[in-house]
Every structure is written in C-alpha cells, then in structure tokens.
Amino acid sequence: MVDYKKGLHKIGDCTYAYLQPDGSWGWSNAGFVSDGSNSILVDTLFDLKLTREMLDEISQKVKGAEKIDTLVITHANGDHVYGNELVKGAEIIASKACAEEMTETPPQMLAEMMKAAPTLGDIGRYFTHCFSEFNFDGITLTFPTNTFEGRMDLTVGSKEVNLIEVGPCHTKGDVIVFVPYDRTVFAGDMLFIGGTPIMWIGPVKNWIQACDLMLDMEADIFVPGHGPITDKKGVDSIKAYWHYIEAEARKRYDDGMNAEDAAFDIDLGPYGSWGEKERIVINVAALFKEFKGDDIPLNAVELFGLMARMA
Ligand SMILES: [Zn+2]
C-alpha cells in the first residue's frame, strides 16, 4: 500500500493520488488520470496555495500534464472545489446537484467566519482549530461547465473513466470516479479513512448503497476524500459505521430523546478511536431529520457549536 505522505503518488498505470495528511478538516485528497496526452483531475484543494502546489507537482512529475483537459468534481464542499480557478481552460464536470450546491458556501463566507472567529468564543476556537491553516481570501469560485445526472462515461486516451452519482448523501450531489483499467476508485468524501465520515444531507441508505456498489466493483484501490488509500476493508468499515450509528440513533429517537442528547449519549465503541469523532453530532442530526421526515436543512453553525462542546 502507498505511504501516507503529502504529495503525488503513482498508484496504477495511468492513475495517481494526491494525498494530504492528516486528512482532518480541510485536508482532502485529489486524483489524477493521464495517458501522457489526455488528462483528468479529480477535485481541487481548499485554497489557492495548496492547489497551486499540487498542480506544480503534477506537471513536474507526469509527462504531458502541463495542461489538464478535464476537471471532475466529486462534490460541492470547499476542500474539493475552491482551487478550481487554477485549472485554466479545463472542462469542469460535476453532477447537476453538486453544481447547484456550490453556490451555498462561497469562500467569502469562510473568510468572514475566520475573521470573526476570535470574537465567537468556543465555536470560534473550534473553527480556528479546524480551518486556520487555510487561506480563503481572494478565491474566485469557479463553477462546472458541464453537468450530468446519474452517470457519465469519459475516456483518457483509450482508457475509460466512469463518473457515478451516488448522492444525495454526504452532500447533495456526490460522485465517485472509477478507472476500470487500474481497478481504482476515487471515492471523494464517500470514504473517510481514519477520520469520522460526515453526513450533511443523507439519506443514510444512499451511503450504504454506495458502499455496496464500491464493494461490488472490480476495484482494489480506493482513494478516499480524506485519509490514506484503502481497499475494500476500508469501504466495509464505513458501511459498518453507518449501520451502527443508524441503529444507535434509531433507539434513542424511538425513546423520545432529542438529537443533541442522543449524539452525546451514543457510545461510539470501536469508532471512538477515529479522528474528529465529534462529527457524530452532525450525523445524528441528519439521521433524526430523516427519521422525522422533515426537510429543514441542518444548521451548520449550530452544529459547529455542538462539535466545539464535544471536542
Ligand atoms: Zn472533504
């Protein structure tokens, strides 16, 4: 298995992973597929400096990769899209739902939150702890030029690359990217390895279905959105997490507990050793919303407050 070190790693004949330890808040991974003349980048990074570093390393290490033809976005979170403007001239592809969701959290909003953080008490401290190493100033959010629903098949030279929409789930329009030739899946944030996954949208059954889909694929290498490269055992661990958390949340919901108390009450068992375990508050809030059948979006600021308390 590939060392979990920052930078570009060749993982197949035509595929690469760009990894950013430690995979906690904002430290996302990206992917690259190239046949020496055509290329696809999967996701950019959280700010311009990090994205520029990645693009420089790709063009130095991969022959013919000075110009990227296509940028595929796995989902709308800033740590996967804020660097888009630097991939000059590329066609940018995302699911339709992802493109729509990208308008909801512009980088200016994070820049303002960071500036206000010192006056915001616990939540400000937690926010600083999560995001102080990134620079959200001066980013021009750059939107997809082409969208799809369900599935889209691309080629890099003679090699097929499949984009498969598995959301809504982590976000509204999650997509995984399969490179059959190298038996590799770029899973975006449908996989967090070593850290706790976050379900902003749900339903949880979509996450479990996406895991089953990945387990059935003729693939051996799974590049998560955060954390080290994994195999089907990593996919299994995420599926098991959701089965466990769903059942624990359901018991408490049926007992009439509220989401906040349930999140603090759940014994995480084997998952207590995963990073950012306080994300349980988001996951339980999303599950309770699902159990109730209500449509009100989660309140991210309130949830950051609860995570600050738990952390
Ligand atoms: Zn992410």
Side-chain angles (χ1 to χ4, degrees), residues 28 75 77 79-80 170 189 192 225-226:
S28 53
H75 64 288
N77 287 164
D79 52 337
H80 302 261
H170 167 66
D189 284 4
F192 285 75
H226 296 260

Side-chain angles (χ1 to χ4, degrees), residues 4 21 45 56 89 101 106 111 125 130 135 142 183-184 227 255 297 307:
Y4 189 37
L45 306 177
D56 285 349
E101 191 178 12
R125 268 188 293 281
C130 295
N135 180 3
T142 303
R183 299 177 65 88
T184 296
D255 286 347
M307 286 192 286

Side-chain angles (χ1 to χ4, degrees), residues 16 67 78 100 113 166 197 204 210 220 230 236 244 246 274-275 293 311:
Y16 301 79
K67 190 185 161 296
E100 286 163 10
M113 285 282 286
V166 294
V204 69
D220 312 308
T230 189
D236 257 329
Y244 179 76
E246 183 186 14
W274 287 5

